Amino acid sequence: MAPPTPIRGLGPDSRLGDAARRILAGRLADVRKPETGVQDGADDESVHDMRVATRRLRAALQVFLSLGGMKKLERDVKRLQDALGDVRDVHVQAAWLEDMAGRVEKEKRGARAGVVELRDARLESLEAKEKRLHAELKRWEKRTVPRLKKKLEALDDEHRFGGRSVRGHLRGRVRRVRKRMETYVDAPDAASAHALRKELKKLRYELEIFQPALRRVMDAMVEVLVPLQDGLGELHDADVRLELFERLAAESKPKGRKAARALLPHVRDERAKHAAEIARELQRWHSEEIPRRLRRMLA
């Protein structure tokens, strides 16, 4: 995951309006960096980088909602993020199937053809998803970017950027992460894992936003979050594959059904491996009392 553009020269006593303007401008610049690569051919790396950047921009818009006029902009950015996500999902699954084609061929001669058929079937949907993405990119460039730039010029708020309310808000976010962890431990299914992952991402992106105001605290907290967030991302990909191949095993053409059934044990093993890694990481969070330590950092 590419890091966001660092925002220099801000501190706890910076005016909120100035901080919002500079942070949102930086997040907008991060979205625009990979834009040419996405427009030219929607290559995997550019799509991934732009998708992550839109998430960070949305997080910043949500943080500065109190300044007004952000909700519609946030919804417009989400449209682009969703279109990028649809293309990215096809890239991820097609790449995984390409890798699996070689592995299953070693296990059973002739098995590769069925897996390649499944990969090609996934890639068939890519053209329509890329077409939608390019339509959203045009909307983004013609409507969203000009409106966002205009909004940045009008931002003004004399409150402190790093006041007590910031720490209180982030402590609340840590509490929500802890509750999601408890829910996942009680019922470690795909839904609870995905909910925990989303809450962790919100915390991480907000920590990045307020990093200039609480620099030492934020660097330490983000470092703690990364392993768990990354592991939950891998678990989510495995859950998506498991649901997909269970459906393909029932609905595909004969060769595809056979290939999907052959892949399901690999997907289940992969899912079990990631779930075990998450269980170990959550045990570490519990034994080291990481949520309590994070809240204490923000006291």
Side-chain angles (χ1 to χ4, degrees):
M1 182 188 298
T5 296
I7 309 299
R8 310 294 185 187
L10 292 178
D13 295 326
S14 298
R15 294 192 345 171
L16 182 61
D18 292 340
R21 182 166 55 253
R22 294 186 58 193
I23 289 169
L24 286 168
R27 296 298 186 263
L28 174 59
D30 287 342
V31 176
R32 307 219 71 184
K33 282 179 187 176
E35 195 172 316
T36 300
V38 175
Q39 290 173 333
D40 289 347
D43 67 273
D44 188 18
E45 184 176 354
S46 296
V47 169
H48 177 58
D49 288 348
M50 194 171 189
R51 184 188 186 189
V52 172
T54 57
R55 285 174 176 161
R56 286 192 168 110
L57 176 57
R58 284 184 62 210
L61 289 166
Q62 290 165 350
V63 162
F64 297 119
L65 279 178
S66 64
L67 277 65
M70 303 292 187
K71 287 186 177 180
K72 181 64 167 62
L73 285 166
E74 190 267 336
R75 287 195 296 268
D76 287 344
V77 176
K78 186 178 186 303
R79 288 179 56 135
L80 178 58
Q81 179 190 318
D82 289 345
L84 288 160
D86 287 343
V87 172
R88 169 67 177 168
D89 289 346
V90 175
H91 287 168
V92 170
Q93 300 304 340
W96 186 85
L97 283 164
E98 180 65 30
D99 179 63
M100 289 304 301
R103 291 172 58 182
V104 298
E105 182 69 15
K106 294 177 182 178
E107 297 171 8
K108 185 176 181 182
R109 192 170 182 178
R112 176 181 173 85
V115 178
V116 169
E117 182 178 292
L118 289 177
R119 182 206 62 191
D120 292 345
R122 301 309 299 161
L123 289 172
E124 285 177 4
S125 67
L126 188 58
E127 183 177 355
K129 294 180 188 298
E130 287 182 341
K131 184 177 180 180
R132 179 190 166 221
L133 173 56
H134 286 300
E136 288 298 333
L137 283 169
K138 289 180 181 179
R139 188 178 190 275
W140 155 260
E141 189 170 2
K142 290 182 178 180
R143 295 181 56 182
T144 308
V145 172
R147 287 175 54 236
L148 184 50
K149 288 181 176 179
K150 185 177 180 180
K151 180 62 183 175
L152 293 182
E153 293 172 0
L155 285 176
D156 187 30
D157 191 302
E158 295 188 1
H159 287 89
R160 289 178 68 237
F161 174 48
R164 288 185 178 181
S165 61
V166 170
R167 291 177 180 266
H169 171 80
L170 293 172
R171 285 198 301 273
R173 182 68 72 192
V174 173
R175 284 193 293 271
R176 287 190 284 276
V177 167
R178 179 180 56 79
K179 288 180 180 179
R180 290 295 186 186
M181 286 180 174
E182 292 171 353
T183 300
Y184 176 77
V185 170
D186 289 340
D189 56 20
S192 61
H194 187 50
L196 172 56
R197 179 179 176 235
K198 289 195 296 184
E199 203 64 56
L200 272 172
K201 283 195 291 187
K202 289 176 183 178
L203 174 58
R204 178 177 177 180
Y205 294 154
E206 288 180 4
L207 288 171
E208 290 174 346
I209 289 166
F210 289 111
Q211 193 265 356
L214 303 165
R215 193 173 304 277
R216 294 178 184 174
V217 173
M218 300 311 177
D219 289 345
M221 292 181 72
V222 169
E223 185 177 351
V224 169
L225 294 176
V226 169
L228 182 56
Q229 183 187 340
D230 289 349
L232 285 164
E234 292 174 345
L235 180 62
H236 175 69
D237 289 343
D239 280 327
V240 170
R241 277 193 283 273
L242 182 58
E243 180 181 358
L244 171 64
F245 287 109
E246 286 176 341
R247 178 164 51 82
L248 292 175
E251 300 175 0
S252 296
K253 295 177 181 179
K255 188 185 293 185
R257 288 200 305 272
K258 184 177 180 181
R261 287 195 296 269
L263 289 173
L264 273 172
H266 294 278
V267 179
R268 290 173 181 139
D269 287 346
E270 183 182 67
R271 205 268 176 197
K273 172 190 170 186
H274 293 314
E277 291 169 351
I278 295 300
R280 288 192 293 271
E281 184 65 13
L282 289 178
Q283 179 57 38
R284 185 177 75 87
W285 275 62
H286 176 72
S287 63
E288 297 180 13
E289 298 184 318
I290 290 176
R292 184 174 66 84
R293 286 166 49 201
L294 294 179
R295 292 196 303 273
R296 185 183 295 169
M297 287 181 186
L298 293 165

